[in-house]
Amino acid sequence: VQHLPEQHDTLSQALDLRVDLHGALHMLGESRQSFAYLRQAETLAERLGDQRRLCESYRAMTHKCWVLGAYDDAIAYSQRALALAAASGDVFEQALVNSLLGTVYASLGDYRNAMDVLRRSIASLEDKLLYKRFGTIIASVRARDWVVDCLRELGEFAEGRACAAAADRWLMGETALPAPIAPTSRPLV
């Protein structure tokens, strides 16, 4: 792709290739090399002026930084992604990024801020978005799971149990729920 003329189509294909390489390396546990491809995807999305794909790159970078324990960077990338998602009006993308940001705050032990952004994510996932999946994960289930974890960490067991029970009742209303998102397991991003 580097040897082809720099046209919109070739730059777009180069961006797709970087995202695909990131995904493959992520699955192989090659986090640092995977992140390098995300940085290249970011640069290409900027050159293309593709705000949607730039937002997706920032979201993926947020997740990758969280995995690597680079929490300050994860917060910075999530803020960039949130700004782009808000500007585009993409409610689902905002919910995904808020859910990731809540995960980062929880990992830092900042459970109150984590619950604030996770609850923001949950509140925006209603109607058609309630059961919307990101890969194999139902986004609203993932956010609820982390809220329950935060409540447990804060010692707010009664509220945590009530929240988990409500989520279980709500979840059981969906038919053919796949095993990776059973209410007792923490879904992966």
Side-chain angles (χ1 to χ4, degrees):
V1 178
Q2 292 173 322
H3 304 292
L4 298 174
E6 284 200 11
Q7 299 172 351
H8 187 274
D9 289 346
T10 55
L11 289 174
S12 183
Q13 289 173 355
L15 193 159
D16 291 340
L17 180 61
R18 295 328 188 270
V19 170
D20 290 346
L21 286 168
H22 148 71
L25 289 168
H26 172 75
M27 296 303 289
L28 293 172
E30 297 289 335
S31 293
R32 297 206 185 279
Q33 184 60 39
S34 166
F35 190 78
Y37 283 113
L38 286 175
R39 295 295 305 261
Q40 292 174 20
E42 171 193 21
T43 300
L44 289 165
E46 287 172 342
R47 286 175 58 195
L48 287 165
D50 190 330
Q51 300 302 298
R52 180 188 58 80
R53 291 163 87 187
L54 183 58
C55 180
E56 290 170 356
S57 294
Y58 287 148
R59 177 180 25 84
M61 293 165 96
T62 299
H63 178 255
K64 188 56 61 184
C65 288
W66 171 66
V67 167
L68 294 170
Y71 300 132
D72 290 340
D73 291 336
I75 293 168
Y77 284 121
S78 71
Q79 297 302 328
R80 292 178 193 170
L82 282 171
L84 290 171
S88 74
D90 188 335
V91 174
F92 189 66
E93 187 67 32
Q94 290 176 67
L96 290 175
V97 176
N98 272 323
S99 185
L100 279 172
L101 180 57
T103 303
V104 173
Y105 283 141
S107 297
L108 286 167
D110 188 352
Y111 302 113
R112 299 277 177 212
N113 273 334
M115 287 192 306
D116 286 345
V117 294
L118 289 163
R119 285 178 171 150
R120 211 173 309 142
S121 175
I122 293 165
S124 66
L125 293 169
E126 52 189 30
D127 299 325
K128 294 186 299 185
L129 299 179
L130 187 61
Y131 290 106
K132 187 166 181 176
R133 295 177 187 274
F134 178 70
T136 60
I137 298 163
I138 298 174
S140 60
V141 172
R142 181 194 186 281
R144 282 176 172 81
D145 184 54
W146 277 92
V147 168
V148 170
D149 284 352
C150 290
L151 290 166
R152 181 193 66 231
E153 291 296 328
L154 291 169
E156 297 177 16
F157 303 118
E159 185 180 353
R161 276 192 299 276
C163 185
D168 283 348
R169 285 190 304 276
W170 167 81
L171 205 80
M172 293 308 143
E174 182 178 344
T175 58
L177 185 66
I181 40 181
T184 56
S185 65
R186 172 177 288 139
L188 301 175
V189 174

